[in-house]
Amino acid sequence: MLLLCIGLFFSACIPASTPQVIKIGLIAPFEGLYRRTGYAALAEMRKVLAAHAPASTAYRILPVALDDGGDPQQARRAAQKLLVDPEVQVVVGPLFPHTIAAVRQEMQQQTKVRWLPLDQLWTNQLTLRSDSQSAREKQESRRADVPPGLRNISNQYESELIAAVAQYATVQGAHQLVVAGWTPDAATQESTSWTSSIDIPVQFSDDPTAVPPDAAVLWMGEPAGAASFLNRLRREQPQVPFWMGNSGGDPVFAERAQSLDNVYWAIWTDDGFASWHQEELAAPPFAYLIYRATQMALAGVESQESPANITYSDADDSVPQFQLFQISTNGVSSPTDASSLPH
């Protein structure tokens, strides 16, 4: 009896099995100019993780946020830190084109961690069943819509954004598109092959004084640089349409721009954006990318027992599309569509 009591005592002292920790990394600015966008991204990720907590106590899914300060070198170091953490299974971010480009080589050279860059959430490399026939057909169909001159650009999002904004600019009456704030390889700057494909020529220039009055501008860089370029542009061309990609959603741009007339931005979303936006009116529209990336991260966590039995089968069925926003004079971004663009 004494031995039995001692055995029961010591067995009671043995801790329950420690749950497996699965980390989802987030690379975003949490210090410096763009910290508000970084913290908005983290808040959205935490909200999704809380709503889909694992049903099994054998797992814990934790967000791990690393600051990149909106700086390419710091973003690269953040990616390196996440890659050496054995508990990190997925990495979301960075948030801006220039920081995404900085970590691309680091992330693509490894196979251990799944990378969800915000500019490629709906390419067939990142859909949940990327080998499915529907995913391949959908990808090939989208790729066929990209003008041949743009297909040399390694990043599909960038080539499709340029092509899409060129079409929107044509609706607005522009006769050419000037791409600023981003320098692709010299081989992609063959604007002569782009003119016939997208109706108007595309030029690369970081000189706002060289923008003609019949052009539109697409800024591909960081938000503060966009405001600086726009302020100089407006001294020469007060009404030229000014477009941005992801960086248009950061409040730094609206705060630093001296004029917000005829300013737009676009992000690649899917058909779930409208319903999400109705429920998340207080969240910045850019947070939808974090919302979907976190869903995909959860669905992509691989283990013998699914930590939450979560699948998002709509990922392959979603229709990628560009969601347009117009920035009002008070800095608020409102969804719009091509038919509403002023001519």
Side-chain angles (χ1 to χ4, degrees):
M1 182 64 69
L2 178 61
L3 292 175
L4 176 61
C5 292
I6 293 174
L8 291 174
F9 172 79
F10 281 108
S11 64
C13 295
I14 298 175
S17 59
T18 304
Q20 177 187 352
V21 174
I22 297 174
K23 296 178 181 177
I24 297 177
L26 173 64
I27 303 175
F30 298 106
E31 300 292 339
L33 274 179
Y34 309 121
R35 61 187 178 276
R36 284 171 290 178
T37 295
Y39 279 106
L42 179 58
E44 189 67 26
M45 175 174 282
R46 284 174 170 166
K47 186 183 300 183
V48 176
L49 292 178
H52 301 285
S56 172
T57 57
Y59 298 90
R60 293 179 63 206
I61 300 180
L62 301 177
V64 179
L66 292 188
D67 173 45
D68 68 13
D71 175 72
Q73 295 299 325
Q74 194 170 338
R76 187 176 296 112
R77 290 192 294 271
Q80 292 168 346
K81 290 178 181 178
L82 289 172
L83 289 177
V84 298
D85 186 337
E87 295 177 329
V88 172
Q89 289 196 13
V90 187
V91 171
V92 174
L95 307 188
F96 301 134
H98 65 296
T99 48
I100 293 174
V103 308
R104 193 176 305 281
Q105 185 175 2
E106 297 281 345
M107 301 305 299
Q108 290 180 340
Q109 285 181 341
Q110 56 80 41
T111 58
K112 178 178 72 76
V113 175
R114 188 169 185 243
W115 183 38
L116 296 175
L118 299 186
D119 58 359
Q120 296 187 56
L121 293 181
W122 289 275
T123 63
N124 81 326
Q125 295 96 330
L126 297 178
T127 50
L128 302 186
R129 298 181 298 280
S130 59
D131 58 344
S132 69
Q133 184 66 23
S134 63
R136 289 199 303 272
E137 290 175 354
K138 194 181 303 180
Q139 177 75 0
E140 290 168 1
S141 173
R142 293 203 303 270
R143 190 68 170 166
D145 293 336
V146 178
L150 297 182
R151 292 176 194 161
N152 293 328
I153 299 176
S154 59
N155 187 306
Q156 179 186 333
Y157 169 80
E158 292 166 345
S159 62
E160 293 195 12
L161 178 63
I162 293 171
V165 171
Q167 296 292 348
Y168 302 144
T170 302
V171 171
Q172 293 177 299
H175 292 91
Q176 67 175 288
L177 178 67
V178 176
V179 179
W182 174 67
T183 305
D185 296 336
T188 69
Q189 300 189 30
E190 297 288 340
S191 60
T192 54
S193 66
W194 300 14
T195 305
S196 60
S197 301
I198 54 178
D199 298 330
I200 62 174
V202 176
Q203 305 288 340
F204 293 88
S205 175
D206 286 338
D207 181 5
T209 65
V211 176
D214 63 346
V217 172
L218 170 60
W219 177 264
M220 300 287 281
E222 44 85 30
S228 177
F229 186 97
L230 178 63
N231 292 340
R232 293 159 61 202
L233 175 67
R234 285 295 181 246
R235 299 182 197 128
E236 308 289 332
Q237 305 295 346
Q239 292 301 320
V240 162
F242 187 81
W243 287 83
M244 288 174 288
N246 294 359
S247 57
D250 189 278
V252 168
F253 167 74
E255 291 168 355
R256 295 193 169 201
Q258 296 169 358
S259 171
L260 292 171
D261 290 334
N262 220 7
V263 173
Y264 313 88
W265 60 288
I267 54 174
W268 201 5
T269 68
D270 62 2
D271 44 18
F273 173 80
S275 59
W276 174 87
H277 185 62
Q278 288 297 319
E279 296 177 0
E280 300 283 352
L281 290 175
F286 180 83
Y288 181 72
L289 299 181
I290 302 297
Y291 168 80
R292 289 298 272 130
T294 306
Q295 286 186 324
M296 292 180 183
L298 285 171
V301 169
E302 295 181 357
S303 61
Q304 292 182 350
E305 297 178 49
S306 174
N309 295 317
I310 296 172
T311 57
Y312 291 94
S313 58
D314 62 322
D316 276 345
D317 299 328
S318 296
V319 178
Q321 58 200 357
F322 279 103
Q323 175 62 55
L324 313 184
F325 302 90
Q326 182 169 8
I327 303 181
S328 64
T329 54
N330 62 358
V332 176
S333 294
S334 300
T336 187
D337 54 53
S339 63
S340 302
L341 296 174
H343 293 251

